[in-house]
Amino acid sequence: MTYLFAFIKLSLVCVVLMDVSSSLLLRPSTHHYIAKNERFQHLVTRLGIAKNGLTVAEKRRGFNSSRISHKNRESLRWVIEAIERNDENGTPPSDKLLEALSYLKNARTQEEVSEASRLLESISDLKDTESLYVQERLIKATSLAGLTSFSLSLLDESFLKKGKLPSAIAYTAICQALRQTRRLSQLENLLHRLGKSTDDPIDVVALNTFLAGLCDGIKKKHKKNQRVARKKSGWLNEDVDVVNKLEKACKWLSPGYAEQILRSKPDSSSYATVLNAAATIGNRTMATEVWDQMSKEGIDANQYAYNSLIKSMVIGNQASDDEQALYLLEQMRGNPFLQPDRFTVDLVLLPVLRQRGVDEACELVENFIQRYKSSPPLVAEGFASFLDTLTKCSETDAALKIFGTFLLPSLAGSKGKRKNGVDPPTAHHFNIIFNGMNQELKRCELAVRKQKIEEEEFQLRKRRIQQKTAKLYRIMIGGGVQPDSYTVTILLGLSRNINDIIELIGTTSTRKLKERTILNMSPAVLRATMTACGAVNAPSSACWLLGAIVKGENQQEVRTYNTLINALANSARLDDATKLTLETSHMANAFSGMTVGYDNVEIKTLGSFDALYGKTCSEGALSLLKLMDEQQYPRPNSQTYCLVATALQYTADHERAKTLAIELVQNATRSNIPPDGRFINAALRCFGSDINSALKAWKDEIRQFSCLAQQTRTKNLLAAYHGLLYVSGRALRPDIALRICYAMNKENIVVNEMGLQCFRSGQRQGLAIADEETKKKTIIFHQQFDTLLTLECTKYDKKDTRREGEKRLKIIL
């Protein structure tokens, strides 16, 4: 046995040696250059080479492994050609250097760039034989190529250690390369070494590059967090790294600091860069201090600095902030060298609208047009930005006013542009307005759910929005602007009835091809159409449409079928008594003679979708799930079961819905689809106001099937308990809801206001169908439990402005 193990060990050693020897013969070396005009053949002296051709040592030195950008490649070509031409007419560059630079100029992969670096390093007498002019350009060329380590080494050996300062093109290129690779500490160290090497002033571009690198990190960190401004001033982002970077940038702007190190003062670009970073994170205090410091130094603010300070002022959306922003706007107008550009107008448009009205805002836009009318693309981009700003801030009427004043007349014009040079609006401009109307409708829906407006007021606003949308769409089509897929998906959500949907689809998704009319829909438009059909209570049209697409042998993913089930659930919520009549639906009557896609398949029958005929929406959703489960369609997932359970909530047979909800959970588990919290929540809501049956089913049946052993156990349990709170609200039983909250606390699940909102949602529905006697009993017997439930679910926070005037105390024993 001992000999056997020894033999195996010896065999493994031989295999390893053979593998190492083969790698030694095949892998290129990083240290040996064979000869000029020969193919580069090398031997590896160590095994530390990465797949991209870089050694471990090169990676440790910070070699930039990213590809050379097109812009850097063009600059690199110009610099190398300047070296080859020897514009200074001094000592010509050596042949070895020209060959290495030629290889670098033609390099297309990182392996080739790395090879060029090795060729340059192999020229041992480069620092002694080449002129300073050539070495300066070589520093810039290698910096553009990402060979920062070589550039820094050449800068130290040929210039800094000898007390010389190269031209600005050399060290600013290194600064830019260090900024791109986020090596800011090394960049700051370079600035100190440049200042100590000579008494000559350092170009301010080097300082601005370092400040821009600091502020790049600040802006990227802020964009990643995407925090909403909740304070009028002060920090909106408390990230320590962001604070340190901004403080370091302000330190370099402090009086005499940069001048002492670099012997040059910061300019307007230096201050504007830091101003913009402070404004981006909402630190108005810091932005004001930087602005005051710039004024004390006697530096005239440029356009970028003004825009940055205005940006810091308009974050709070307060009246005083608007006045300060308008004051800065008037300062810019008083300066003959500065006039509001596109960014300025975009920033002050809302303050002007709030303080001076829509006419003044239109005048501001008119001045912008007159200033940039020689550049129509810039004007078009400006209008897109202005409209987007207004619609996002709920100023849809003002956006329509500006759109109708400046863009629609150019659309109505017979041939092209208006006299003032404004191009006709594109589909992008219309999409911004349509999206603003869609967002306005969603805000109205949220307000009616929170009982801030009455249902009658909501329906009135909804009709007005839909009428405006329909009118604008007719203008769009009449003006010859072709809607895109985004236009269709937005307008489908704003449709008033099935006729609007059919008209929209007939206009945008049908096309003539020879003698056939083709219904050609993208997956996004198909899903949006089915969702819109469900919203207007036209489930038969949604079923017919997907059945026609499937009959045309166009395979659809499970997401599309989930959309159809969701449409059925929405229709069931409106009226579950509606029967599915696919062949006589509105959509079938409109498109039955057409073909689908580019296949010559006439839409006649729907095959397996005929099983949905004559069923209600909830029954149709259940039947579609069965068809999918039989593998005739894409396999269902957890969302599919969740949507079917949602549809079952609205069935008239509540007892059957309870049984089906439990069966759905069991079937999903048997199909290896672990029910998640959303699915369990929807299944529990099928019990309606029967809280006792819901609790029994949760304890005896549903909980054992739910995926509580996964990493999302707490999240799933929270969603399930929210379903129980909803059912207790439907039953008008705050006492049971309070006990559910206590059970949640025992399982270390945080009870928050979301649970209270679930109870309130069910309570509103329960009170809507309860008689007067039941309402009186609820007020008399359950008021104290309702108060305790509110206290149990409310989490107090000193930053929560909703609790500022509240005087109640919560005592925890």
Coordinates of all heavy atoms in Angstrom, one line a residue, residues 511 513-521 548-556 591-604:
R511 N -50.1 47.3 -39.9 CA -49.4 47.9 -41.1 C -49.8 47.0 -42.3 O -50.2 45.9 -42.2 CB -47.9 47.8 -40.9 CG -47.4 46.4 -40.5 CD -45.9 46.4 -40.3 NE -45.2 46.8 -41.5 CZ -43.9 46.8 -41.6 NH1 -43.2 46.5 -40.6 NH2 -43.3 47.2 -42.7
L513 N -48.9 45.1 -45.7 CA -47.9 44.4 -46.4 C -48.5 43.7 -47.6 O -49.2 42.7 -47.4 CB -47.2 43.5 -45.4 CG -45.9 42.7 -46.0 CD1 -44.9 43.8 -46.4 CD2 -45.4 41.7 -45.0
K514 N -48.2 44.2 -48.8 CA -48.9 43.7 -50.0 C -50.4 43.7 -49.8 O -51.0 44.8 -49.7 CB -48.3 42.3 -50.3 CG -46.8 42.2 -50.6 CD -46.4 40.8 -50.9 CE -44.9 40.8 -51.3 NZ -44.4 39.5 -51.6
E515 N -51.0 42.5 -49.8 CA -52.5 42.5 -49.8 C -53.0 42.1 -48.4 O -54.2 41.9 -48.2 CB -53.0 41.5 -50.8 CG -52.7 41.9 -52.2 CD -53.2 40.8 -53.2 OE1 -53.8 39.8 -52.7 OE2 -53.1 41.0 -54.4
R516 N -52.1 42.1 -47.4 CA -52.5 41.7 -46.1 C -52.3 42.8 -45.1 O -51.4 43.7 -45.2 CB -51.6 40.5 -45.6 CG -51.8 39.2 -46.4 CD -50.9 38.1 -45.9 NE -49.5 38.4 -46.1 CZ -48.6 38.3 -45.2 NH1 -48.9 38.0 -44.0 NH2 -47.3 38.5 -45.5
T517 N -53.1 42.8 -44.1 CA -53.0 43.7 -43.0 C -52.5 42.9 -41.8 O -53.0 41.9 -41.4 CB -54.4 44.3 -42.6 OG1 -54.9 45.0 -43.7 CG2 -54.2 45.3 -41.5
I518 N -51.4 43.4 -41.2 CA -50.6 42.7 -40.2 C -50.8 43.4 -38.9 O -50.6 44.6 -38.7 CB -49.2 42.5 -40.6 CG1 -49.0 41.7 -41.9 CG2 -48.4 41.9 -39.4 CD1 -47.6 41.6 -42.3
L519 N -51.1 42.6 -37.8 CA -51.1 43.1 -36.4 C -49.8 42.7 -35.8 O -49.6 41.5 -35.4 CB -52.3 42.4 -35.7 CG -52.4 42.8 -34.2 CD1 -52.7 44.3 -34.1 CD2 -53.5 42.0 -33.5
N520 N -48.9 43.6 -35.7 CA -47.5 43.4 -35.3 C -47.3 44.2 -34.0 O -47.2 45.4 -34.0 CB -46.6 43.8 -36.4 CG -45.2 43.4 -36.1 OD1 -45.0 42.4 -35.3 ND2 -44.2 44.0 -36.7
M521 N -47.2 43.4 -32.9 CA -47.1 44.1 -31.6 C -45.8 43.6 -30.9 O -45.6 42.4 -30.9 CB -48.3 43.8 -30.7 CG -49.6 44.1 -31.3 SD -51.1 43.7 -30.3 CE -50.8 44.8 -28.9
A548 N -54.8 35.0 -29.9 CA -54.5 35.2 -31.3 C -53.0 35.2 -31.5 O -52.5 34.7 -32.5 CB -55.1 36.6 -31.8
I549 N -52.3 35.8 -30.6 CA -50.8 35.9 -30.7 C -50.3 34.4 -30.6 O -49.4 34.0 -31.4 CB -50.2 36.8 -29.7 CG1 -50.7 38.2 -29.9 CG2 -48.7 36.7 -29.7 CD1 -50.2 38.9 -31.1
V550 N -50.8 33.7 -29.7 CA -50.3 32.3 -29.5 C -50.7 31.4 -30.7 O -49.9 30.6 -31.2 CB -50.9 31.7 -28.2 CG1 -50.6 30.2 -28.1 CG2 -50.4 32.4 -27.0
K551 N -51.9 31.7 -31.3 CA -52.3 30.9 -32.5 C -51.4 31.2 -33.6 O -51.2 30.4 -34.5 CB -53.8 31.3 -32.8 CG -54.3 30.4 -34.0 CD -54.4 29.0 -33.6 CE -55.0 28.2 -34.7 NZ -55.0 26.7 -34.4
G552 N -50.8 32.4 -33.7 CA -49.9 32.7 -34.7 C -48.5 32.2 -34.5 O -47.5 32.6 -35.1
E553 N -48.4 31.2 -33.5 CA -47.2 30.5 -33.2 C -46.1 31.5 -32.8 O -44.9 31.2 -33.0 CB -46.7 29.7 -34.4 CG -47.7 28.6 -34.8 CD -47.3 27.9 -36.0 OE1 -46.2 28.2 -36.6 OE2 -48.0 26.9 -36.4
N554 N -46.4 32.6 -32.1 CA -45.5 33.5 -31.5 C -45.3 33.1 -30.0 O -46.3 33.3 -29.2 CB -45.9 34.9 -31.6 CG -45.9 35.4 -33.1 OD1 -44.9 35.3 -33.7 ND2 -47.0 35.9 -33.5
Q555 N -44.2 32.5 -29.6 CA -44.1 32.0 -28.2 C -44.0 33.2 -27.3 O -43.3 34.2 -27.6 CB -42.8 31.2 -28.1 CG -42.8 29.9 -29.0 CD -44.0 29.0 -28.5 OE1 -44.3 28.9 -27.4 NE2 -44.5 28.3 -29.5
Q556 N -44.7 33.1 -26.2 CA -44.7 34.2 -25.2 C -44.2 33.6 -23.9 O -44.4 32.5 -23.5 CB -46.1 34.7 -25.0 CG -46.7 35.3 -26.3 CD -46.0 36.6 -26.7 OE1 -45.5 37.3 -25.9 NE2 -45.8 36.7 -28.0
F591 N -60.2 43.1 -35.4 CA -59.0 42.6 -36.0 C -59.1 41.1 -36.4 O -58.1 40.5 -36.7 CB -57.8 42.6 -35.0 CG -57.6 44.0 -34.5 CD1 -57.8 44.4 -33.1 CD2 -57.1 45.0 -35.3 CE1 -57.5 45.6 -32.7 CE2 -56.9 46.3 -34.8 CZ -57.1 46.6 -33.5
S592 N -60.3 40.6 -36.5 CA -60.4 39.1 -36.8 C -59.9 38.8 -38.2 O -59.5 37.7 -38.5 CB -61.9 38.7 -36.7 OG -62.7 39.4 -37.6
G593 N -59.9 39.7 -39.2 CA -59.5 39.4 -40.5 C -58.0 39.6 -40.8 O -57.6 39.5 -41.9
M594 N -57.2 39.9 -39.8 CA -55.8 40.3 -40.0 C -54.9 39.1 -39.7 O -55.4 38.0 -39.2 CB -55.5 41.4 -39.0 CG -56.2 42.7 -39.3 SD -55.7 44.1 -38.3 CE -56.8 45.3 -38.7
T595 N -53.7 39.2 -40.0 CA -52.7 38.2 -39.7 C -51.7 38.7 -38.6 O -51.6 39.9 -38.4 CB -51.9 37.9 -40.9 OG1 -51.3 39.1 -41.5 CG2 -52.7 37.2 -42.0
V596 N -51.1 37.8 -37.9 CA -50.2 38.2 -36.8 C -48.8 38.1 -37.3 O -48.3 37.2 -37.8 CB -50.4 37.2 -35.6 CG1 -49.5 37.5 -34.5 CG2 -51.9 37.2 -35.2
G597 N -48.0 39.2 -37.0 CA -46.6 39.3 -37.3 C -46.4 39.2 -38.8 O -47.2 39.7 -39.6
Y598 N -45.4 38.5 -39.2 CA -45.1 38.3 -40.6 C -45.4 36.9 -41.1 O -45.0 36.5 -42.2 CB -43.6 38.6 -40.9 CG -43.2 40.0 -40.7 CD1 -42.7 40.4 -39.4 CD2 -43.5 41.0 -41.6 CE1 -42.4 41.7 -39.2 CE2 -43.1 42.3 -41.4 CZ -42.6 42.7 -40.2 OH -42.3 44.0 -40.0
D599 N -46.2 36.1 -40.3 CA -46.6 34.8 -40.7 C -48.0 34.9 -41.3 O -48.8 35.6 -40.9 CB -46.6 33.9 -39.5 CG -45.3 33.7 -38.8 OD1 -44.3 33.7 -39.6 OD2 -45.2 33.5 -37.6
N600 N -48.2 34.1 -42.3 CA -49.5 34.1 -43.0 C -50.4 33.2 -42.3 O -50.9 32.2 -42.7 CB -49.3 33.6 -44.5 CG -50.5 33.8 -45.3 OD1 -51.4 34.6 -44.9 ND2 -50.6 33.2 -46.4
V601 N -50.8 33.7 -41.0 CA -51.7 32.9 -40.2 C -52.9 33.8 -39.9 O -52.8 34.8 -39.2 CB -51.0 32.5 -38.8 CG1 -52.0 31.7 -38.0 CG2 -49.7 31.7 -39.1
E602 N -54.0 33.4 -40.4 CA -55.2 34.2 -40.3 C -55.8 33.9 -38.9 O -55.9 32.8 -38.4 CB -56.2 33.9 -41.3 CG -57.4 34.8 -41.3 CD -58.4 34.6 -42.4 OE1 -58.0 33.7 -43.3 OE2 -59.5 35.2 -42.4
I603 N -56.3 35.0 -38.2 CA -56.9 34.8 -36.9 C -58.3 34.3 -37.0 O -59.2 35.1 -37.5 CB -56.8 36.2 -36.1 CG1 -55.4 36.6 -36.0 CG2 -57.4 36.0 -34.8 CD1 -55.2 38.0 -35.4
K604 N -58.5 33.1 -36.7 CA -59.9 32.6 -36.7 C -60.3 31.9 -35.4 O -61.2 32.4 -34.7 CB -60.0 31.5 -37.9 CG -59.9 32.1 -39.3 CD -60.1 31.0 -40.3 CE -60.0 31.6 -41.7 NZ -60.2 30.6 -42.8

